[in-house]
Amino acid sequence: MAGMAVRREGNDRPPATPSRRKPTINDVAQLAGVSFGTVSRVLNDAPDVSASTRERVLQIIKDIGYRRNRAATALVTSRSTSIGILSDGSPRFGPVGTLLALENVARKKGYAATVISVEKPYEESVQAALDSLDDTGVGGIIVIAPVVDMAAAVWNATCRVPVEMIAAGASSTPNVFTYSENQELGARLATQHLIDLGHRDIAHIAGSMDWFDGRVRKRGWEATLRDAGLEPGLCVEGDWSPKWAYETGLRLVREEKVPQAIFAASDHTALGLIRAFTENGIRVPDDVSIVGFDDVEGSDYFLPPLTTVRQDFNALALMSTEVLLGAMEGRDVDRTPIPPTLVVRDSARQASSRK
């Protein structure tokens, strides 16, 4: 009837429009024509699934936008689907590259990653961070520990889940197992390259000895020289920065102590040295050969392009994650350190070819 108000029973709000239902694993199975278990094996990257079935299931997952429910998976399997990553927050190339690669690998393997940074005093912050990660329900923790003091705090801490520490050259303990790239081998490759070029006066412009990286790179330089019957010469400890290296290079020029060849502990160290020498008419590699370490982005565009040792952070992250997952699942995993690679460019030259 005109003018008559329409009364709704209950409240005065119109019924809500139902939201679009999220796709489930059962939807994937039905559309793919396979069982729930088959989809689960595909999601867990199990080997007992044919390539064609795996491809079909993954395509349907992509088409319908299915996303794995981590909480539900953890309840069903009684296994955590997240890992913790503990870092000291260092802005240096190695720790940052390792952290980014770890997060990427964890995500590709279907694990969420919770990251916490700690600061000094490590004795307090490390234990608190491990407790916090444990409370979130992570199945294991990877610690990026570039400095010795932080590692000591990790070794002294307690945790209910497996703890793996990425620390070059450090030993495992009953509570903490370690993994790393073989940086001592990288230092040996760099030093041996200079020896093979005929150099005998090979200095090391080092990183900080508070860092595992600094210690093992120095150790590799020393050992390679001694193996070749050469006595280790000039070694100056620094802080990894181009500024410090530049100032050190100026001092070497001023004191007339520029060596025949230099193994620089990092590419940034090499960069500072090259500038200091060039500004004072000392040519690289004509007057002094330099080899770096890291293969930072752009090192091939240094002047001259830098011979250096390349670290493979993706491979390091992949193997570190595999080692941690093996500990979480109670299976053995090969813990052989990742070997670095010498990248030969133009910053080092045969000693006999100098003018």
Side-chain angles (χ1 to χ4, degrees):
M1 186 179 295
M4 181 178 292
V6 178
R7 181 176 180 273
R8 294 188 179 94
E9 295 294 332
N11 57 49
D12 291 334
R13 291 178 298 178
T17 302
S19 59
R20 184 171 178 267
R21 182 175 66 84
K22 291 182 179 180
T24 67
I25 191 171
N26 287 319
D27 295 330
V28 176
Q30 183 177 357
L31 290 170
V34 298
S35 67
F36 175 99
T38 297
V39 177
S40 179
R41 288 196 295 276
V42 170
L43 291 171
N44 289 303
D45 202 25
D48 56 339
V49 181
S50 69
S52 59
T53 299
R54 186 184 304 277
E55 183 178 353
R56 184 167 74 254
V57 169
L58 291 174
Q59 185 60 51
I60 289 171
I61 287 172
K62 180 179 179 181
D63 290 344
I64 69 174
Y66 169 72
R67 293 180 62 186
R68 197 174 192 177
N69 187 321
R70 300 184 189 280
T73 301
L75 287 173
V76 171
T77 63
S78 297
R79 291 190 313 178
S80 174
T81 56
S82 65
I83 63 172
I85 302 176
L86 187 62
S87 167
D88 76 334
S90 170
R92 298 295 181 197
F93 178 73
V96 170
T98 303
L99 174 60
L100 295 176
L102 280 173
E103 289 184 294
N104 184 51
V105 168
R107 184 171 60 255
K108 287 183 177 179
K109 287 186 169 292
Y111 284 79
T114 302
V115 180
I116 294 182
S117 295
V118 295
E119 57 186 14
K120 294 181 178 180
Y122 292 125
E123 293 79 5
E124 300 173 7
S125 62
V126 165
Q127 183 64 69
L130 291 173
D131 290 343
S132 179
L133 288 170
D134 192 6
D135 289 343
T136 65
V138 298
I141 299 170
I142 297 178
V143 180
I144 304 170
V147 295
V148 177
D149 286 352
M150 179 182 174
V154 175
W155 281 319
N156 291 329
T158 58
C159 192
R160 294 179 297 182
V161 299
V163 177
E164 173 189 4
M165 186 161 62
I166 297 178
S171 300
S172 297
T173 68
N175 298 323
V176 179
F177 54 94
T178 60
Y179 190 78
S180 68
E181 187 169 48
N182 193 339
Q183 294 193 34
E184 182 173 341
L185 172 61
R188 282 179 168 273
L189 293 173
T191 308
Q192 187 62 51
H193 179 64
L194 292 169
I195 293 173
D196 291 344
L197 290 173
H199 299 294
R200 296 297 178 263
D201 176 20
I202 303 172
H204 181 41
I205 307 303
S208 170
M209 293 301 112
D210 292 335
W211 285 53
F212 288 106
D213 298 19
R215 294 183 178 194
V216 296
R217 294 177 194 184
K218 179 184 177 184
R219 188 163 67 223
W221 164 76
E222 289 179 332
T224 306
L225 288 173
R226 289 202 168 98
D227 288 348
L230 302 173
E231 189 65 26
L234 175 70
C235 180
V236 185
E237 177 185 347
D239 65 359
W240 308 103
S241 72
K243 179 178 183 295
W244 172 85
Y246 172 72
E247 293 170 349
T248 299
L250 292 178
R251 179 168 61 82
L252 293 177
V253 172
R254 186 169 59 250
E255 297 176 358
E256 298 184 348
K257 292 182 178 179
V258 177
Q260 188 181 49
I262 294 174
F263 165 43
S266 73
D267 290 351
H268 287 145
T269 301
L271 179 62
L273 291 170
I274 291 171
R275 177 180 170 183
F277 294 156
T278 301
E279 287 181 350
N280 287 274
I282 297 173
R283 301 164 300 172
V284 178
D286 298 299
D287 301 316
V288 55
S289 288
I290 297 179
V291 176
F293 199 112
D294 284 334
D295 195 28
V296 300
E297 182 179 4
S299 59
D300 50 339
Y301 284 93
F302 285 13
L303 189 62
L306 185 65
T307 294
T308 186
V309 176
R310 175 179 296 160
Q311 296 194 76
D312 190 340
F313 292 118
N314 289 328
L316 174 62
L318 180 61
M319 286 305 303
S320 298
T321 305
E322 279 297 317
V323 168
L324 181 67
L325 296 181
M328 291 165 55
E329 298 166 4
R331 55 183 173 86
D332 292 330
V333 178
D334 182 11
R335 297 185 184 179
T336 303
I338 295 291
T341 304
L342 179 70
V343 182
V344 178
R345 297 191 180 109
D346 300 330
S347 61
R349 180 175 295 179
Q350 285 280 349
S352 59
S353 66
R354 291 185 174 172
K355 298 177 182 179

